[in-house]
Amino acid sequence: MDVRVVTDERGDVEALCASLVAALNGASPSWIGVGCSVHVDGDALLRAMGDRFPGVPVHGTTSCLGVMSHEGFLDGPGSIGAIAVVDASGRYGLGASELGQDARNAAAVALEAALDRADEPGALPSIVWVNSSPGHEEDVIAGIESVVGPHVPIVGGSAADDDVSGGWSVFFDDGERRGSSADGVVVSAWFPSDRVGSSFHSGYGPTAHAGRVTASEGRVVHAIDGRPAAEVYGEWTEGRLGDCLDQPGGILADTTLTPLGRRVGAGSWQLAHPDAVVEGGGLSLFARVDVGDELVLMHGTTDSLSERAGRVAHAAMAAGSLRGEEVAGAMVIYCAGCMLTVRERMDEVVASLQGALGQQPFLGLFSFGEQGCFLGGENRHGNLMISVLVLAR
């Protein structure tokens, strides 16, 4: 395999595509992934890609503010990044669906289409890469697993915009049709000719505060240990919620460094980001929790968020049994909330990834939800997390 990554901060889709052609130097890509600011014309981007790479699957999503790569952090309104995988001996397919009222079925349909496009119907891919509109990621994972079972790693991130206003989208070109959606899912099935490795972690650690969910509905925790969830969380965080306890409202920016975690396997944590206090004293989250789950207050720092990405990349390399000289490149999903918290230190995040990946190219996106596979093999959706996919040469 070979990997090429190009970026552009002017929103110039023609220039981006020309740069990718030049970087490929005559090689034919097998798959192209794209991330961009919501201010970039996605339809024009798909047309430009289709003109230059006819028949090649193009898998795209919007990213909060911009993108990052081995060349740096781009947060201008025209920021775009593209990663091309060159693998003549591998097979890559893409499928897309509207989420509608049944996100689980939509993801299953999209994956089945991806397998067909890869000429591997019914087979188990090495990896499934997914981007979907935020809100139903757990159902998307369940839909993918209904087709390929629970042992195929799922890696990806939820589409994002700049201000949680709903301006996000996913977009695609499967070789036969193109499209974009604010309420959709795009799935790619990979059958690469060489190894890949993935890792899913966060830059947070557990505190001593913990409690059991005693009432919940979807992504709203109503009670912890029989008490209003917001009241409990407010005590755990020593008054972080302030007046919101008495007047429901948004708390997203105030809770980035103190999310709630659930233990997965030995030593892994699946995080959920509280985004609002709701009527009755419940907490709305960006991930689903169930009655009986134990929630632990987690704690992060700007130092931990700045340094962690490189460690996750190292873990992905270990999972794929890849030495540094064997790395061709990587795809990185980094939580938008974390990025906004350490925005002035994103050069450190880039440097940590550069150090881990040995200066090989990577493309990083900033998502409103992260999907990945923990060390024990569990595919999960979380918040404030980092998901890394590393590809071998």
Side-chain angles (χ1 to χ4, degrees):
M1 282 188 289
D2 200 1
V3 172
R4 295 288 184 269
V5 173
V6 297
T7 59
D8 187 276
E9 58 184 341
R10 301 162 298 171
D12 190 333
V13 299
E14 294 292 340
L16 178 85
C17 292
S19 295
L20 188 56
V21 169
L24 287 165
N25 193 27
S28 298
S30 306
W31 182 91
I32 297 173
V34 181
C36 65
S37 158
V38 296
H39 304 287
V40 173
D41 187 337
D43 291 335
L45 180 55
L46 287 175
R47 288 195 300 271
M49 285 284 180
D51 290 344
R52 288 169 173 79
F53 308 107
V56 176
V58 178
H59 183 139
T61 183
T62 55
S63 172
C64 182
L65 294 187
V67 299
M68 65 176 166
S69 77
H70 56 289
E71 295 183 331
F73 169 57
L74 300 180
D75 62 349
S79 298
I80 324 169
I83 179 169
V85 177
V86 179
D87 185 11
S89 299
R91 293 185 180 275
Y92 298 78
L94 180 153
S97 293
E98 289 288 322
L99 291 175
Q101 299 300 311
D102 192 344
R104 185 180 188 276
N105 182 67
V109 169
L111 178 55
E112 288 171 345
L115 294 171
D116 287 342
R117 295 292 299 165
D119 292 327
E120 294 283 0
L124 296 182
S126 295
I127 205 90
V128 171
W129 182 263
V130 60
N131 297 117
S132 69
S133 302
H136 303 281
E137 292 91 342
E138 294 90 353
D139 292 328
V140 166
I141 290 174
I144 292 170
E145 290 189 339
S146 74
V147 177
V148 296
H151 303 304
V152 174
I154 299 170
V155 185
S158 310
D161 60 12
D162 295 347
D163 53 9
V164 203
S165 62
W168 53 70
S169 66
V170 293
F171 50 93
F172 69 94
D173 184 336
D174 66 8
E176 292 184 353
R177 63 190 184 104
R178 299 170 189 163
S180 63
S181 175
D183 185 39
V185 58
V186 182
V187 179
S188 286
W190 285 27
F191 297 85
S193 61
D194 209 329
R195 290 158 294 160
V196 296
S198 70
S199 186
F200 191 40
H201 287 285
S202 76
Y204 295 75
T207 71
H209 298 291
R212 192 75 58 181
V213 176
T214 49
S216 69
E217 183 179 2
R219 294 186 170 187
V220 177
V221 181
H222 292 290
I224 299 173
D225 292 334
R227 298 172 56 207
E231 180 180 310
V232 173
Y233 181 83
E235 292 177 1
W236 287 355
T237 57
E238 299 179 348
R240 182 175 294 271
L241 296 188
D243 294 338
C244 288
L245 280 174
D246 302 317
Q247 183 176 353
I251 57 173
L252 189 64
D254 298 320
T255 58
T256 300
L257 294 178
T258 51
L260 297 169
R262 286 164 288 174
R263 186 181 292 277
V264 179
S268 295
W269 295 91
Q270 176 186 3
L271 306 187
H273 191 177
D275 71 292
V277 175
V278 301
E279 292 290 342
L283 277 179
S284 171
L285 312 173
F286 270 120
R288 184 184 303 166
V289 297
D290 298 314
V291 171
D293 286 348
E294 183 182 53
L295 296 180
V296 176
L297 181 70
M298 307 292 287
H299 177 69
T301 65
T302 55
D303 286 342
S304 66
L305 298 186
S306 300
E307 299 165 358
R308 188 62 176 175
R311 298 179 187 177
V312 182
H314 273 301
M317 291 163 60
S321 301
L322 290 169
R323 298 187 300 273
E325 65 272 16
E326 296 176 309
V327 173
M331 299 167 66
V332 180
I333 297 292
Y334 190 91
C335 170
C338 295
M339 178 273 290
L340 292 170
T341 299
V342 298
R343 186 173 179 181
E344 301 306 315
R345 299 178 62 177
M346 282 303 297
D347 57 334
E348 297 176 39
V349 176
V350 170
S352 73
L353 288 163
Q354 290 171 326
L357 298 170
Q359 305 299 315
Q360 294 304 314
F362 71 85
L363 178 64
L365 309 177
F366 307 116
S367 58
F368 280 171
E370 297 73 55
Q371 295 84 55
C373 184
F374 286 110
L375 185 61
E378 305 92 349
N379 291 307
R380 294 288 190 271
H381 161 69
N383 312 138
L384 302 168
M385 302 191 71
I386 306 166
S387 198
V388 177
L389 175 63
V390 176
L391 295 73
R393 289 188 183 278

